[in-house]
Amino acid sequence: MNVLISVDMEGVSGIVHPSETNPDRYDYERGRALMTAEANAVIAGVLDAEPAADVLVADAHGPFRNLLPEQLDRRARLVRGKPRPLGMLAGLDADTDAVLLVGYHARAGSGPGVITHTMSGDILDVRVDGRSLGEIGLNAALAGHTGVPVVLLSGDDAACAEFEELVPGAVTVAVKDALAAAAAVALHPEVARERLREAAAEAVRRRTRVSPLSIAGPLTVEVDLYSPVSVDLAMLVPGVSRAGGGRTVAFSATDFAEAYRLVLLLVQLASIKPG
C-alpha cells in the first residue's frame, strides 16, 4: 500500500498565530516541532493499520522546508523544497492508494477559522466552475483527478467542516475549535497526537469506502487576486484573461491537474511586488 501524507502547519494543535508559522518570526521553531510531532502521529497510525505500507510525507507549508527531517519517523520518506510538481501533493501518482491531509486550514474568506487563506495572502478566492475552493478542495480534487481518495483531514473545526462537505465519509480530527483568525480552544498536543494516530489507522482501514472527489473537465477557473499589479502580471500567461473588476482573472483548463498547475503559477506571480 502506498500512502501520501500532506502536512500543512496552520491547522496543527497549539498553533494560532502567524508568528508560529513563518520562518522569520520568533515562535517558528516551536511551530515546526509541533508540526513534526503531528506528522509522526499520523505515520504511526498508518503503519499500525498497514505495517508494510510505503509512506511518503510531503512538507506542504510555506517554503516546504518546515518538518524537521532528523525528528521525522524514520519509516517514512520526506518530500521537501520548492518549486516542485503538484505542490502540496508532491509525490502523488497513480500508484497512491490514499492521501491524508494533516494540519490544514479553511479557505480564504471563511470563518471563524485559524489563519484562513488560500495558498497565500495574495489570493482572495479560487472558483472552479463557480465553486469556491481553498487548499482543502484544490488538493482533494487533484487527488481525485488521479483517482485517489483523501481519507483523513485534521485541522480546526472550520477546516473539518469544509472537508466533510466535499468528501463525505472521510475521517476528520478537529484538534482545535476556532474562536477567531488568531485564537482557538486547542487540545493538548499530546491528546491531539493520540487522536490523530487512532484516526489515521481508522482512515486507512476504511479507505475503500471513501470516494475520490471528482471534478471533471473542461473547467472554467476564476482567481481573485489581492493586488491589481498581480492581475497585470497574470496577463502575461497565455490563456489568462481579465474577468470583471480589477482583481479577477480567468482561464479554461482541460482537466483539474492543468487547473491546479495554473493556480500554482498565479500564486507565484502574485508574490512578485512592483519595483
Side-chain angles (χ1 to χ4, degrees), residues 68-91:
L68 299 165
E70 67 276 14
Q71 294 183 18
L72 196 69
D73 191 316
R74 63 183 296 169
R75 297 172 293 177
R77 294 177 296 135
L78 174 62
V79 184
R80 69 193 308 260
K82 68 190 312 184
R84 66 196 191 195
L86 304 186
M88 298 176 76
L89 290 190

Side-chain angles (χ1 to χ4, degrees), residues 45-102:
V46 169
L47 294 172
D48 286 344
E50 294 283 346
D54 181 8
V55 180
L56 186 63
V57 177
D59 189 323
H61 173 73
F64 296 169
R65 300 189 312 275
N66 311 277
L67 291 167
L68 299 165
E70 67 276 14
Q71 294 183 18
L72 196 69
D73 191 316
R74 63 183 296 169
R75 297 172 293 177
R77 294 177 296 135
L78 174 62
V79 184
R80 69 193 308 260
K82 68 190 312 184
R84 66 196 191 195
L86 304 186
M88 298 176 76
L89 290 190
L92 176 73
D93 60 28
D95 292 326
T96 306
D97 295 295
V99 170
L100 293 81
L101 306 180
V102 180

Side-chain angles (χ1 to χ4, degrees), residues 215-233:
I215 302 180
L219 305 168
T220 298
V221 182
E222 294 178 307
V223 180
D224 296 338
L225 299 163
Y226 177 78
S227 170
V229 174
S230 300
V231 176
D232 296 336
L233 289 171

Side-chain angles (χ1 to χ4, degrees), residues 104-125:
Y104 270 60
H105 53 81
R107 69 182 183 274
S110 64
V114 174
I115 322 179
T116 59
H117 63 280
T118 298
M119 298 295 186
S120 81
D122 298 308
I123 306 296
L124 300 177
D125 193 22

Side-chain angles (χ1 to χ4, degrees), residues 21 45 51 62 89 104 112 126 155 180 183 185 192 198-199 224 232 261:
T21 65
L89 290 190
Y104 270 60
V126 177
V185 178
E198 294 173 358
D224 296 338
D232 296 336
R261 289 195 299 270

Side-chain angles (χ1 to χ4, degrees), residues 17-268:
H17 193 275
S19 67
E20 299 164 318
T21 65
N22 291 338
D24 60 346
R25 304 294 288 275
Y26 78 97
D27 224 6
Y28 170 69
E29 290 302 322
R30 176 173 161 275
R32 297 179 78 187
L34 291 169
M35 178 187 184
T36 305
E38 288 205 356
N40 282 338
V42 174
I43 294 167
V46 169
L47 294 172
D48 286 344
E50 294 283 346
D54 181 8
V55 180
L56 186 63
V57 177
D59 189 323
H61 173 73
F64 296 169
R65 300 189 312 275
N66 311 277
L67 291 167
L68 299 165
E70 67 276 14
Q71 294 183 18
L72 196 69
D73 191 316
R74 63 183 296 169
R75 297 172 293 177
R77 294 177 296 135
L78 174 62
V79 184
R80 69 193 308 260
K82 68 190 312 184
R84 66 196 191 195
L86 304 186
M88 298 176 76
L89 290 190
L92 176 73
D93 60 28
D95 292 326
T96 306
D97 295 295
V99 170
L100 293 81
L101 306 180
V102 180
Y104 270 60
H105 53 81
R107 69 182 183 274
S110 64
V114 174
I115 322 179
T116 59
H117 63 280
T118 298
M119 298 295 186
S120 81
D122 298 308
I123 306 296
L124 300 177
D125 193 22
V126 177
R127 294 179 297 281
V128 179
D129 287 345
R131 185 178 193 176
S132 179
L133 296 177
E135 292 171 34
I136 293 171
L138 291 170
N139 287 303
L142 180 62
H145 172 74
T146 313
V148 181
V150 178
V151 298
L152 176 139
L153 177 131
S154 72
D156 67 9
D157 56 328
C160 291
E162 185 176 320
F163 179 65
E164 289 166 356
E165 183 178 340
L166 292 165
V167 188
V171 177
T172 58
V173 182
V175 299
K176 55 194 172 190
D177 292 330
L179 299 176
V185 178
L187 297 175
H188 188 284
E190 292 180 1
V191 174
R193 292 166 207 157
E194 291 169 358
R195 295 188 183 181
L196 284 167
R197 182 169 183 167
E198 294 173 358
E202 177 189 357
V204 167
R205 292 188 183 107
R206 56 182 294 188
R207 64 188 180 276
T208 58
R209 289 182 254 170
V210 180
S211 299
L213 175 61
S214 178
I215 302 180
L219 305 168
T220 298
V221 182
E222 294 178 307
V223 180
D224 296 338
L225 299 163
Y226 177 78
S227 170
V229 174
S230 300
V231 176
D232 296 336
L233 289 171
M235 293 302 98
L236 301 174
V237 180
V240 176
S241 61
R242 297 180 187 269
R247 291 185 169 179
T248 303
V249 301
F251 61 87
S252 297
T254 57
D255 57 33
F256 205 89
E258 180 181 317
Y260 188 92
R261 289 195 299 270
L262 268 170
V263 169
L264 292 184
L265 177 58
L266 292 176
V267 170
Q268 294 304 309

